[in-house]
Amino acid sequence: MKFSLMTTTMVIDLLMELQGGKSKEEITCEYAAMLEMIAGLGIPAVEVTSIELDLFGLEEVKKQLEIYHLEVGGFVHLDQYACTDSNQAEKMIALAKTRIDDAVSLGADNLMLALMAQEDVSEHSREELTEALIRNIRPIAAYGSERGIRISVEDTPDIRLPLCDTADTKALLDAVPELYLTYDSGNMLLKHDSPISYLETFRDRVCHVHLKDMAYMQSGQPGDVDIDGRMIAGCMHGEGIVNFAEIGKILRESGYESVAVIEYVGHDDHERRIREALTYLQSVL
């Protein structure tokens, strides 16, 4: 199985350093060092997000990837896709289409729409949010199809949003036939759905895979809130409750041939921690 690495936590750390006073040149050098480290670990691809395109620009990201001979193992664009305001939605859809063009330029074959909550999310019913989500994603998925880019969603770790379990996902995929699924191995746990049965349900619509382990947090630790009010969050692979061996078996049986993204959540000692994650996942998958 070919692996890609999700670098989002490290890129967000760079963004925080910029906001804390470091120069753009300094964090660009740190970004380059991060990519060099990943390539040195033998990981052939990284998952690019709209965060780093906003931070460094499309051409700088392309340049750095070319320097270290890294492929784009997926592209993620974060936005409030369930927004109900028509003017905001129109701008959001236009931006998403621009990101699809960016994905083409980067050589990606898929773009995942990462659903974020809008400020007024609690003021709307789930039915309103679901209708808005379907209405807003339809033109994005259609444009992706025109441009030869598979558009996908993943279930979100926010139980306020209508895309957090099997039923939510089925409603959206049924309503938007051009849409694919990025299988995230942990987010459905917030609704107490099984990662295994979730994958089996949607195996024919999966175009991309995020390998994320999850663990329940102790009182006072940060995380996402599940339906019982408990805190749960991504953790280092092998330290949580996700059965990656069974996930790998289902992916092989279904003929999955795309990359598997290591969803890395560390904030320090990156080279050691990423190597450990890679070694663990290679051993069980």
Side-chain angles (χ1 to χ4, degrees):
M1 186 172 290
K2 180 180 177 180
F3 290 101
S4 176
L5 184 75
M6 184 181 294
T7 63
T8 306
T9 57
M10 292 185 284
V11 170
I12 291 175
D13 286 344
L14 294 178
L15 176 60
M16 298 297 289
E17 289 181 13
L18 179 66
Q19 294 172 343
K22 276 197 175 182
S23 70
K24 185 72 168 291
E25 292 74 17
E26 287 176 303
I27 64 165
T28 300
C29 288
E30 291 184 29
Y31 180 66
M34 178 193 79
L35 296 179
E36 182 178 20
M37 177 266 293
I38 293 167
L41 289 170
I43 299 174
V46 292
E47 184 133 295
V48 176
T49 71
S50 52
I51 298 172
E52 59 209 89
L53 260 61
D54 291 338
L55 188 55
F56 301 109
L58 173 64
E59 293 307 317
E60 181 65 29
V61 170
K62 286 175 62 177
K63 182 181 80 171
Q64 295 295 342
L65 292 172
E66 290 170 3
I67 288 172
Y68 299 108
H69 307 289
L70 288 167
E71 300 174 17
V72 177
F75 182 39
V76 177
H77 177 47
L78 303 89
D79 214 330
Q80 300 168 1
Y81 299 105
C83 72
T84 57
D85 180 90
S86 59
N87 291 328
Q88 182 183 349
E90 184 176 343
K91 295 175 183 177
M92 179 191 64
I93 292 167
L95 177 57
K97 290 180 178 180
T98 298
R99 292 309 190 200
I100 291 171
D101 295 337
D102 292 338
V104 173
S105 181
L106 285 164
D109 64 1
N110 68 85
L111 183 148
M112 189 195 88
L113 307 175
L115 177 58
M116 302 169 63
Q118 60 266 38
E119 288 186 5
D120 67 348
V121 64
S122 61
E123 299 176 12
H124 300 282
S125 68
R126 291 189 71 80
E127 290 75 18
E128 289 175 317
L129 293 170
T130 298
E131 290 174 3
L133 183 64
I134 293 170
R135 182 172 61 247
N136 295 336
I137 283 183
R138 271 182 176 146
I140 300 172
Y143 185 71
S145 181
E146 292 174 16
R147 298 287 281 138
I149 297 291
R150 289 176 296 183
I151 305 301
S152 67
V153 293
E154 72 172 5
D155 50 318
T156 176
D158 189 334
I159 60 176
R160 299 173 299 172
L161 292 166
L163 189 57
C164 198
D165 59 20
T166 300
D168 290 344
T169 304
K170 186 178 187 306
L172 179 58
L173 292 178
D174 285 350
V176 188
E178 304 96 335
L179 192 63
Y180 291 85
L181 178 68
T182 289
Y183 170 70
D184 181 286
S185 59
N187 287 344
M188 73 291 292
L189 288 166
L190 279 86
K191 285 285 199 73
H192 297 183
D193 264 12
S194 161
I196 304 305
S197 62
Y198 185 96
L199 176 56
E200 289 175 332
T201 299
F202 300 113
R203 60 197 301 171
D204 293 335
R205 295 289 287 273
V206 172
C207 76
H208 203 52
V209 169
H210 285 171
L211 300 174
K212 177 168 67 180
D213 212 344
M214 298 283 278
Y216 281 98
M217 300 290 101
Q218 299 297 321
S219 178
Q221 291 181 305
D224 296 303
V225 183
D226 79 353
I227 53 174
D228 289 337
R230 298 175 66 191
M231 302 300 287
I232 187 171
C235 65
M236 295 304 298
H237 299 82
E239 297 179 1
I241 59 178
V242 175
N243 186 341
F244 291 105
E246 187 63 25
I247 288 170
K249 177 183 176 183
I250 296 170
L251 291 174
R252 288 191 298 273
E253 290 174 349
S254 63
Y256 181 77
E257 296 180 346
S258 189
V259 299
V261 181
I262 303 170
E263 189 158 337
Y264 174 64
V265 298
H267 290 279
D268 55 28
D269 204 1
H270 299 304
E271 185 170 356
R272 177 182 67 82
R273 289 172 175 264
I274 293 170
R275 182 184 292 110
E276 290 174 350
L278 177 62
T279 300
Y280 171 77
L281 289 171
Q282 286 173 330
S283 72
V284 296
L285 293 177

